[in-house]
Amino acid sequence: MARSLLSHFPILSNSTSPLASSLSCAIAPSKCFPRHLFGRPKASSFQCLCTLSVSEPAVPETSSSVRKRIVSGVQPTGSIHLGNYLGAIKNWIELQNSYDTLFFIVDLHAITLPYETQQLAKSTRDTAAIYLACGVDTSKASVFVQSHVRAHVELMWLLSSATPIGWLNKMIQFKEKSRKAGDENVSVSLLTYPVLMASDILLYQSDFVPVGEDQKQHLELTRELAERVNYLYGGRKWKKLGGRGGAIFKVPEPLIPPAGARVMSLTDGLSKMSKSSPSDQSRINLLDSKDVIANKIKRCKTDSSTGLIFAPSTFIISAVSML
Ligand code: AQP
């Protein structure tokens, strides 16, 4: 079993493998995967199939190869809100100047809960537009749609076979979302979604992943999974099968912003602001008008005590209670 699984990982070192060729669609040649994994790509083999075109990187190839790599993404499950902005997108803008950055729209994650096809296609485009409007610069960062790169799902299958189910059963987000969805609507993918997230990250040998507090547990699972695969299939075992030996995956570090890592719902002070909350009053969408935002703030649930508490998550709510 171990041997058969390990034999899949060395395909990463073969640039003609289906895995490597499916990766070629989204990423600009010199910003693509480490050459030790995929070999040097031919410029002509790169065709972007994304709705967004990816420009040639501004940074010369030599310097980008020593830059640390960052990946992050947002699900196109609805309207992007202040939590997504402060917890993730806002931080990308600075990071894209000093890191090799890949920002994608994680549409495969969005189908873990019931969805409408046309609405998903629209939200995917809208999310890409919001990335650009917030300052993501395609001359610095690679921007693409997750489902356009088949390797995310292919690696997920390999990783799934190395993931103990007990690890997934412990995920708080699964417990919360499945409770809200009700047993009838809980899909297997809602449980296995963290493995897809691990694949999104490990595929690119990422050094850092900027996330809000809610994703911390999923990132910890990614780190544990990388260590497990390295232990089970890396090192000498990999070398014996013709791989290069050593660690198969880099173990990524989380980048949690000092402020805004957990922006709370406007209607329920115990839950985080979320796209999938049924009440639009619970969140400030980035595309809300000034008047709508003012109205939502006026109506939002406040703390019972007055005063200003300098905890990032309660800042807005406590400030409002002083009005
Ligand atoms: N309330 C939040 N405060 C701070 N950061 C947040 N993030 C999400 N909500 C908050 C961060 O935004 C990034 C993208 O999140 P996602 O779309 O992948 O999924 P999510 O974390 O599950 O966000 P939502 O808005 O709650 O979406 P739904 O309702 O569809 O599940 C992540 O970095 C996340 O940490």
Side-chain angles (χ1 to χ4, degrees):
M1 157 70 190
R3 212 179 150 76
S4 64
L5 178 56
L6 179 54
S7 67
H8 285 288
F9 285 109
I11 64 172
L12 295 170
S13 63
N14 175 0
S15 62
T16 61
S17 73
L19 188 57
S21 61
S22 74
L23 289 167
S24 66
C25 73
I27 319 296
S30 54
K31 301 208 83 181
C32 194
F33 312 88
R35 280 192 208 96
H36 66 268
L37 279 181
F38 298 102
R40 189 180 169 81
K42 289 189 193 107
S44 60
S45 70
F46 284 89
Q47 277 185 346
C48 183
L49 304 177
C50 307
T51 43
L52 280 175
S53 65
V54 181
S55 322
E56 281 297 311
V59 185
E61 201 169 357
T62 43
S63 62
S64 79
S65 64
V66 296
R67 284 181 164 208
K68 297 270 186 195
R69 177 165 295 153
I70 284 185
V71 302
S72 196
V74 172
Q75 296 183 54
T77 32
S79 190
I80 304 231
H81 53 74
L82 196 62
N84 299 135
Y85 179 69
L86 296 177
I89 303 172
K90 180 173 180 274
N91 309 301
W92 301 353
I93 312 310
E94 272 298 301
L95 295 169
Q96 68 185 348
N97 295 323
S98 11
Y99 292 90
D100 185 15
T101 43
L102 294 98
F103 301 129
F104 37 99
I105 298 115
V106 288
D107 56 341
L108 294 172
H109 289 281
I111 64 173
T112 54
L113 286 173
Y115 68 100
E116 279 176 28
T117 316
Q118 283 183 345
Q119 184 53 41
L120 178 61
K122 182 177 179 310
S123 294
T124 301
R125 283 192 295 274
D126 290 351
T127 304
I130 286 185
Y131 282 11
L132 303 188
C134 289
V136 171
D137 181 347
T138 55
S139 70
K140 297 176 183 166
S142 293
V143 177
F144 61 99
V145 178
Q146 180 194 30
S147 63
H148 292 192
V149 182
R150 287 199 321 264
H152 287 253
V153 176
E154 291 171 1
L155 180 59
M156 183 211 172
W157 185 251
L158 297 180
L159 291 177
S160 299
S161 308
T163 311
I165 195 145
W167 289 11
L168 299 179
N169 282 331
K170 281 194 256 168
M171 295 295 114
I172 294 165
Q173 207 176 71
F174 171 71
K175 288 183 189 165
E176 282 178 356
K177 285 193 176 176
S178 55
R179 186 171 37 83
K180 280 187 202 157
D183 283 348
E184 294 282 298
N185 289 322
V186 178
S187 59
V188 172
S189 61
L190 191 61
L191 178 69
T192 54
Y193 144 103
V195 187
L196 181 57
M197 179 168 157
S199 144
D200 297 337
I201 296 165
L202 301 181
L203 185 60
Y204 300 97
Q205 302 289 10
S206 317
D207 296 281
F208 299 108
V209 185
V211 284
E213 282 278 342
D214 61 316
Q215 294 293 341
K216 215 169 140 188
Q217 195 187 24
H218 291 164
L219 197 69
E220 198 44 50
L221 183 125
T222 300
R223 288 167 51 81
E224 283 173 8
L225 202 44
E227 279 164 359
R228 183 172 162 86
V229 170
N230 288 343
Y231 172 73
L232 289 176
Y233 310 115
R236 281 198 198 155
K237 289 175 217 152
W238 189 15
K239 210 160 192 177
K240 273 189 196 160
L241 281 166
R244 65 174 162 77
I248 292 174
F249 294 121
K250 197 173 258 183
V251 182
E253 297 287 339
L255 276 185
I256 308 226
R262 188 168 172 83
V263 177
M264 305 310 276
S265 158
L266 297 183
T267 51
D268 172 8
L270 296 176
S271 303
K272 68 163 193 135
M273 193 176 280
S274 177
K275 285 186 246 91
S276 55
S277 163
S279 167
D280 191 60
Q281 289 298 320
S282 69
R283 59 186 163 259
I284 296 174
N285 302 308
L286 291 197
L287 297 181
D288 280 348
S289 69
K290 206 171 97 190
D291 291 346
V292 170
I293 293 175
N295 198 271
K296 284 180 178 175
I297 299 265
K298 279 183 199 155
R299 295 179 58 181
C300 87
K301 194 175 168 181
T302 61
D303 286 351
S304 48
S305 58
T306 51
L308 202 57
I309 301 165
F310 287 99
S313 58
T314 51
F315 178 76
I316 294 176
I317 293 170
S318 302
V320 168
S321 70
M322 292 183 70
L323 298 177

